[in-house]
Amino acid sequence: MLTSVKNEKIKNWRKLKKKKERDLQSQFMIEGFHLIEEAHKSNWAIIEIIYQTGIEVNADWLTYPSYEVSDNVMAALTDTKTPQGIMAVVRKNKCSERQSKRALLVDRIQDPGNLGTMIRTADAAGFDTVILGKGTVDLFNDKVIRSTQGSMFHLHVYEADLNDEIARLQQEGIEVWSTGLDNATYYHKLEVPEKLAIMVGNEGAGVDPEHMKKSTQNVKIPIYGQAESLNVSIAAAILMYEVAKK
């Protein structure tokens, strides 16, 4: 059992809280039984399991290298208010462009909860791909991971230059709808194409105007009350579920 936070193994796990180290090692940490089970069932590689003294580890996970740690060590590793006492180190998947039928493009989203919620919603709405543009919060941020509730392991998620991706998608016959108000049409007045990518933008600035110019269509959502706008994850959900109905 590992009992000291000064242990080199534990020091290395703690380093994974930082994006720079996650990128360097191509690893990240997940926490809780549900996330570990979702990773276990996916094609993502679990490197090792970390469990607190007294926690019963799922028998299916015992094929992975496992480390028992004391209460103080688990407290040093976790960032959650009510930790479940079990974590895992996972290797990053190397994802890149591929053909898709339904994609969500994310432009400079900053809030981890928003990004995680959108990935989870994309999964629920039957989308197959999520493309993260430059300036978007790190996919492997612990708050993003928790907000996805495991959906990040079900979808093809990768980082790319959105200008390049818009051009590629359109060349493949996929329409790109960008959310915004300029030269935009209400989404419910449009015919939903068989292949579609929806692009949403930064919480304050929206989608980059250059991306909007290159989009096939700019769309907007009607506001019936006094609110100036919708939360970006809510707007994305409305559009993705509208597409899911077709």
Side-chain angles (χ1 to χ4, degrees), residues 157-182:
V157 186
Y158 64 95
E159 298 177 355
D161 185 306
L162 291 187
N163 277 322
D164 295 341
E165 290 299 292
I166 292 167
R168 180 184 67 81
L169 291 166
Q170 290 172 333
Q171 287 172 3
E172 293 176 0
I174 301 172
E175 290 192 23
V176 179
W177 286 7
S178 173
T179 54
L181 299 177
D182 295 339

Side-chain angles (χ1 to χ4, degrees), residues 25-26 189 217:
Q25 297 189 41
S26 290
K189 294 185 177 181
Q217 175 74 53

Side-chain angles (χ1 to χ4, degrees), residues 214-231:
K214 295 176 181 178
S215 300
T216 313
Q217 175 74 53
N218 294 338
V219 300
K220 57 185 177 180
I221 298 171
I223 301 288
Y224 300 110
Q226 300 299 310
E228 290 186 359
S229 62
L230 290 167
N231 170 277

